[in-house]
């Protein structure tokens, strides 16, 4: 049978499994440092961003203050100066205009007076100077359309008595631009009294701040913005936001965190807050803010959170790629290394595969190194050598064994061939013998032969040992018996003579237990001698059973000078002499129990009414049932001789009846009618008649249906013979095809379920069950079935 | 052999008189198969007067039993003579067939 190796798959190979194992391990090992690095990086980034944003905020505010400081300082000084009566308005106005001209952010200044303060004729008087296209223009403000007394830049300083920054406004009719105004109240001291006379303003164009705010860049889309104390966006790079209320913008995109941050900013605090959305953008962002001193304004910087981590993400992406590529390279490398390491194993597998297929000369791969694989290869090499010599040995042994076995089988057939079989049974006697060898050649023997017309010699023996030597010894014994036994000479002398011959040349010290007898067929008298053999049984009718316990001497071949003695026994009618060997009593079952003498005796007693063949067959069946498939250890030999009732036979000469039948079913009636007549004449019970009728019908039908292939008429002979008052023998002869009904198996009639039962075997089953014995012979072109029925 | 047939409300009672053997089993075979084909699936065979049966006869009874069992019907025997019962026992058919001592007893099962 070819050896099958499981099919090799790459995914089950060491290379794949190792590399997978390494890769997964490394991935797990590297995962945690990566996560920790990511977490700490993001914290560091946030801190850095906060610091940057705060610094940028403060820088910007400083710039604003640098610009605004002169704007606040100049009107303050001029205002104080105007309290001096010696300084004229014109002078002040001139200084202020000069300042406007040189200052980069201030583009206009106005000195607005209380009604009729400047001159009795003018309700409004407010000279205004402003920069336009690099030139300084002058205009007098104040009219019914432009009532500056109602403007914040005039009202608030007068009301509060201190300088004020206005909210951003578009000054129509004034500066005509979006502006903020720093407005300082002016007082005149008259008669020791300090009286409010007007305001001096400095207009700051928001476009200047716009430029500064626009220059602020933080991260990708981060931006700065300036918001007034009331929350109005003064300037920002996003034009849609300008002039809007920051609280409204916060409500649009943000939630609670945004509101907290914006409120804190409007309260004039500084800080760094996270926002959950602002204006149109709903994504989280950061806000850094601080107040612009005195103005009440605040400056803030907003940048989205994801931009803060942009670099980190980019880095992580890069790292992931690197990681992935490294893993692939690692896997590839591991596979290559493992393959390289397992290559010798693969070669070894191929070589051992060949060895497994029976090629013991398959070349094993050569290893130069001294590693484990080299050792394995060496071990295989040694195993291969041993296997080779073992198989060679085995082949030689097998050939030798086969030779011996064939010789043994020849010896067996010679031995079995020597045993007498076909036997012309003498009148009034019935004899049956069987030998079932344990091994091919055994040491048991039986024999029977006529010594003249009236004497029969029977013998049974068991040579110590088995096999060819025992068989040869047995043949010698049998030959000697046949040569020495002569009618008229006591059996003891025959035994003595055989013993002498056997002892002459017996280098192996073999011996045989032997029982021999000469039976006078007329008188039923038996002269017997038992040389150390099992005691024979006498089975009489009616379960009467006893043993012939006479000892005639030691087994043959033991002692040359042994004197043997013989005994006499006289058969009573129907008594059976049963000779056995110890193969029966020593038979073992699977629990190692012996069949034993008591069981043999009881078995024989139960079969007292059977004939010799029935008794022998039943004993062997009982023995098989007992041993339950345990191996037969010894030869089993039985010889049974029965003496029939001579007086009965003599008084009633053998009666026979012949019937010639055609192979047609209508002859069944013929059989039934004749059987009915015979039963009355020969006096057998009705039950038997029916059984015989049934059996004959089954056999006859069988012959009619199956024995002849042609359609021609054949003759079937049926003869009845009344053997004695209690035994009927029938003989059915046909010239059809050979058919031995004894070989037909009927087991399936009972073992199979109803649906599968074959009816065919049933007839033969009836035959075997209902008859006491059934024999089959093929003689010439004839099938002969001999049936015996006791009653 | 003679075969009688009696249809009752419960079942069909078949009575066999004489010998049932190889020469005449086909008569019984035809009778039983005709009944089964006509959907009579409750059959009682009364063997009181049957004094001989061979394996051919047993075969017919077995066939009838198989067919009726397949049709989920009932096939029973009754009143077997002593020697016939022995043949049934030797063949092992007593384990396969429902056999009752008397016809009255048998009729109760339908």
């Amino acid at each position: 049978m070819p050896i099958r190796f499981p099919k090799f798959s790459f995914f089950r190979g060491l290379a794949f499994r190792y590399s997978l194992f390494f890769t997964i391990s490394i991935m797990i090992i590297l995962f945690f440092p990566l996560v920790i690095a990511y977490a700490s990086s993001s914290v560091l980034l946030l801190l850095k961003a906060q610091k940057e944003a705060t610094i940028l905020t403060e820088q910007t505010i400083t710039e604003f203050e640098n610009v605004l400081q002169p704007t606040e300082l100049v009107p303050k000084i001029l205002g104080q100066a105007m309290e001096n009566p010696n300084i004229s308005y014109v002078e002040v106005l001139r200084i202020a205009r000069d300042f406007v001209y040189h200052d980069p952010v201030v583009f206009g200044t106005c000195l607005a007076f209380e009604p009729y303060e400047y001159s009795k004729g003018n309700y409004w008087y407010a000279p205004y100077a402003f920069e336009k296209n690099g030139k300084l223009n002058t205009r007098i403000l104040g009219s019914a359309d432009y009532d500056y007394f109602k403007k914040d830049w005039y009202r608030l300083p007068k009301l509060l008595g201190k300088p004020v920054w206005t909210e951003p406004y578009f000054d129509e009719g004034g500066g005509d631009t979006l502006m903020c105004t720093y407005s300082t109240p002016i007082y005149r001291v008259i008669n020791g009294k300090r009286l409010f006379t007007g305001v001096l303003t400095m207009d700051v164009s928001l476009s200047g701040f716009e430029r500064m705010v626009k220059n602020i860049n933080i991260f990708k889309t981060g931006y700065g913005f300036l918001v007034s104390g009331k929350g109005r966006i003064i300037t920002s790079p996003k034009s849609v936001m300008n002039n809007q209320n920051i609280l409204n913008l916060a409500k649009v995109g943000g939630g609670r965190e945004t509101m907290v941050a914006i409120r804190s900013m409007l309260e004039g605090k500084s800080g760094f807050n996270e926002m959950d959305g602002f204006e149109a953008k709903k994504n989280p962002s950061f806000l850094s803010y601080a107040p612009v001193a005195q103005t009440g304004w605040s400056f803030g910087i907003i940048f989205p959170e994801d931009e803060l981590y942009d670099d980190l993400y980019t880095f992580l992406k890069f790292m992931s790629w690197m990681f992935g590529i490294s893993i692939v390279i690692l896997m590839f490398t591991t596979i290559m290394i493992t393959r390289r390491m397992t290559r010798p194993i693969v070669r070894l597998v191929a070589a051992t595969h060949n060895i497994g297929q029976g090629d013991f000369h398959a070349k094993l791969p050569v290893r130069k190194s001294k590693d484990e694989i080299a050792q394995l290869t060496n071990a295989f090499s040694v195993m291969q050598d041993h296997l080779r010599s073992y198989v060679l040995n085995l082949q030689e042994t097998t050939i030798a064994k086969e030779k011996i076995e064939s010789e043994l089988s020849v010896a067996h057939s010679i031995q079995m061939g020597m045993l007498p079989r076909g036997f012309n049974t003498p009148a009034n006697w019935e004899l049956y013998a069987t030998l079932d060898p344990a091994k091919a050649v055994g040491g048991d023997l039986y024999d029977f032969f006529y010594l003249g017309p009236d004497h029969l010699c029977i013998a049974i023996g068991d040579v110590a040992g088995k096999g060819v030597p025992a068989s040869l010894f047995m043949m010698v014994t049998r030959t000697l018996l046949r040569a020495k036994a002569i009618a008229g000479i006591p059996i003891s002398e025959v035994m003595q003579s055989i013993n002498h011959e056997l002892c002459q040349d017996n280098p192996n010290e073999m011996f045989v237990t032997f029982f021999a007898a000469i039976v006078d067929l007329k008188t039923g008298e038996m002269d017997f001698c038992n040389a150390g053999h099992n005691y024979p049984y006498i089975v009489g009718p009616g379960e009467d059973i006893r043993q012939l316990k006479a000892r005639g001497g030691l087994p043959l071949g033991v002692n040359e000078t042994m004197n043997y003695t013989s005994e006499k026994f006289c058969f009573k009618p129907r008594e059976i002499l049963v000779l056995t060997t110890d193969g029966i009593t020593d038979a073992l079952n699977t629990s190692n129990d012996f069949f034993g003498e008591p069981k043999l005796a009881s078995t024989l007693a139960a079969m007292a009414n059977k004939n010799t063949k029935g008794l022998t067959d039943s004993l062997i069946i009982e023995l098989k049932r007992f041993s339950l498939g345990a191996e037969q250890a010894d030869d089993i030999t039985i010889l049974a001789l029965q003496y029939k009732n001579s007086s009965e036979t003599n008084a009633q000469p053998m009666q026979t009846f012949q019937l010639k039948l055609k192979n047609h079913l209508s002859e069944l009636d013929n059989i039934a009618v004749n059987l009915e007549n015979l039963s009355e004449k020969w006096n057998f019970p009705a039950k038997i008649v029916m059984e015989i009728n049934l059996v004959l019908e089954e056999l006859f039908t069988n012959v009619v249906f199956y024995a002849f292939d042609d359609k021609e008429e054949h003759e079937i002979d049926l003869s009845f013979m009344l053997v004695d008052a209690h035994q009927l023998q029938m003989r059915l002869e046909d010239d059809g095809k050979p058919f031995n009904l004894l070989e037909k198996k009927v087991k399936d009639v009972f073992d199979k379920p109803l649906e599968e039962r074959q009816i065919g075997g049933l007839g033969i089953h009836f035959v075997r069950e209902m008859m006491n014995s059934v024999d089959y012979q093929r003689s010439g072109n004839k099938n002969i079935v001999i049936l015996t029925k006791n009653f | 052999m003679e075969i009688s047939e009696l249809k009752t409300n419960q079942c069909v009672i078949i009575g066999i008189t004489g010998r049932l053997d190889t020469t005449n089993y086909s008569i019984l075979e035809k009778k039983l198969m005709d009944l089964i084909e006509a959907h009579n699936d409750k059959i009682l065979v009364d063997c009181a007067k049957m004094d001989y049966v061979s394996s051919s006869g047993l075969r017919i009874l077995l066939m009838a039993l198989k067919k009726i069992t397949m049709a989920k019907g009932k096939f029973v025997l009754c009143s077997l003579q002593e020697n016939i019962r022995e043949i049934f026992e030797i063949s092992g058919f007593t384990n396969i067939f429902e056999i009752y001592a008397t016809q009255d007893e048998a009729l109760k099962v339908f």
Side-chain angles (χ1 to χ4, degrees), chain A residues 691-692 694-696 698-699 741 746 749-750 759-772 774 787 789, chain B residues 52-59 83-93:
Chain A
E691 285 182 2
I692 293 171
L694 179 61
V695 167
L696 289 177
E698 301 296 349
L699 292 175
L741 76 167
V746 291
V749 176
F750 298 102
I759 200 78
L762 191 58
I764 290 165
H765 176 66
F766 282 149
V767 174
R768 288 191 207 172
E769 280 295 318
M770 289 172 171
M771 294 293 109
N772 291 75
V774 183
L787 307 165
K789 180 71 187 173
Chain B
Y52 178 85
V53 66
S54 73
S55 65
S56 323
L58 291 178
R59 188 171 69 86
N83 48 9
I84 302 290
R85 173 171 275 277
E86 252 176 60
I87 293 171
F88 268 74
E89 259 160 29
I90 290 171
S91 61
F93 277 21

Side-chain angles (χ1 to χ4, degrees), chain A residues 19 29 121 185 229 246 321 347 359 401 423 505 580 587 591 653:
Chain A
S19 55
I29 292 166
I246 194 167
W321 272 106
R347 283 193 197 135
D359 177 9
K401 203 178 159 207
F423 190 63
D505 194 13
T580 60
S591 344

Side-chain angles (χ1 to χ4, degrees), chain A residues 354-371:
Chain A
N354 288 339
I355 298 176
Q357 300 288 358
D359 177 9
F360 295 111
H361 298 278
K363 220 175 165 192
L364 289 170
V366 181
R367 286 288 285 172
K368 280 178 198 152
S369 67
K370 298 275 178 248
D371 59 12

Side-chain angles (χ1 to χ4, degrees), chain B residues 13-31:
Chain B
I13 304 173
I14 298 290
I16 299 171
T17 308
R19 295 166 57 92
L20 172 59
D21 62 21
T22 317
T23 57
N24 57 23
Y25 71 84
S26 49
I27 304 169
L28 179 67
E29 179 174 17
K30 188 172 183 324
K31 166 67 75 186

